[in-house]
Amino acid sequence: AQSVSQHNHHVILSEAASLELGCNYSYGGTVNLFWYVQYPGQHLQLLLKYFSGDPLVKGIKGFEAEFIKSKFSFNLRKPSVQWSDTAEYFCAVIRITGGGNKLTFGTGTQLKVEL
Amino acid sequence: KAGVTQTPRYLIKTRGQQVTLSCSPISGHRSVSWYQQTPGQGLQFLFEYFSETQRNKGNFPGRFSGRQFSNSRSEMNVSTLELGDSALYLCASRKRDRRGTEAFFGQGTRLTVV
């Protein structure tokens, strides 16, 4: 069965620090990849997505992610975090072959940015 | 344009009861999926509907069911509620039933079973 792993469950950073959140998936076929963010009390919002093409994708609020097919990874990065980035971050994968439109989510990473 | 609307936002039910949750997708979106979010299990896929047909189903017992209407609105029903069904239930809509289209999520319905 396909699974998505997020290695960091809780991350605490100071403002202006750099961020990298890891995401690995187990399926070897073609996939669509996503990072969603859930701010406290708000709904899940799409940060960025990878469907095809340039493996380095840029999203909203200065976030970017790199798809490395050989490593089955899609890590999220931001060079300088802000207090307002405090939220829970979810990596998600859609398996293109035979998976329908089912999003398989990682367990999430709770990010806290301190002033 | 209005986002995905889920009603009610909060619900408290007793064990053994049943519950129906509603989701109105973004106008023009025809695909609706449901997810359960709990602290222990994270976000888990329940089912997906497109054009009133269930296209995909997750690993949940038969007590969990859903349907989609001709206007793309969807309902999810849980019968014989158990304490473990307490969760945030999220609905997501897509414009098309195709890979490569992103899902937009509603704010969810917080179900508490007592």
Side-chain angles (χ1 to χ4, degrees):
Chain A
Q2 182 184 22
S3 70
V4 181
S5 300
Q6 290 183 241
H7 317 297
N8 317 98
H9 298 293
H10 293 89
V11 173
I12 301 174
L13 294 172
S14 299
E15 267 204 328
S18 64
L19 169 72
E20 180 158 4
L21 301 182
C23 173
N24 287 89
Y25 60 94
S26 63
Y27 179 61
T30 304
V31 294
N32 286 166
L33 300 159
F34 306 83
W35 275 96
Y36 281 88
V37 61
Q38 192 171 33
Y39 297 103
Q42 296 190 27
H43 62 282
L44 276 169
Q45 300 172 41
L46 184 68
L47 266 182
L48 46 77
K49 61 194 177 191
Y50 173 80
F51 293 153
S52 63
D54 188 345
L56 183 63
V57 293
K58 296 191 183 300
I60 60 171
K61 305 187 181 187
F63 287 91
E64 65 178 32
E66 185 176 12
F67 170 50
I68 304 179
K69 190 173 182 179
S70 61
K71 294 185 178 181
F72 302 95
S73 71
F74 190 56
N75 293 353
L76 180 71
R77 299 194 291 250
K78 185 171 184 178
S80 176
V81 295
Q82 300 175 305
W83 178 79
S84 57
D85 293 325
T86 295
E88 190 157 19
Y89 293 80
F90 295 91
C91 179
V93 178
I94 289 179
R95 176 181 157 188
I96 292 299
T97 308
N101 278 323
K102 167 187 168 181
L103 274 165
T104 299
F105 285 89
T107 50
T109 297
Q110 189 70 51
L111 171 66
K112 182 178 178 182
V113 180
E114 297 179 331
L115 295 170
Chain B
K1 115 178 157 178
V4 179
T5 303
Q6 291 187 246
T7 56
R9 289 291 310 280
Y10 302 92
L11 208 48
I12 300 175
K13 288 286 188 178
T14 305
R15 271 182 303 176
Q17 286 186 312
Q18 75 164 18
V19 67
T20 299
L21 313 181
S22 180
C23 172
S24 293
I26 293 171
S27 177
H29 285 200
R30 296 170 62 194
S31 169
V32 173
S33 300
W34 289 88
Y35 294 82
Q36 182 196 64
Q37 186 177 18
T38 59
Q41 300 296 319
L43 280 148
Q44 294 190 293
F45 172 77
L46 280 154
F47 25 66
E48 177 203 359
Y49 288 87
F50 180 81
S51 292
E52 302 176 65
T53 302
Q54 188 179 88
R55 293 297 184 94
N56 212 346
K57 191 175 190 306
N59 296 324
F60 279 81
R63 300 185 296 107
F64 291 80
S65 63
R67 58 179 176 168
Q68 187 180 32
F69 301 95
S70 58
N71 61 359
S72 295
R73 190 177 71 84
S74 177
E75 286 182 348
M76 191 192 97
N77 185 275
V78 188
S79 62
T80 320
L81 283 165
E82 300 177 0
L83 295 179
D85 297 332
S86 295
L88 181 66
Y89 290 88
L90 296 171
C91 170
S93 78
R94 273 192 185 80
K95 194 169 187 178
R96 298 183 295 274
D97 178 30
R98 278 176 55 185
R99 287 84 176 196
T101 54
E102 66 186 81
F104 294 85
F105 284 82
Q107 289 198 285
T109 294
R110 173 77 61 185
L111 172 65
T112 302
V113 182
V114 297

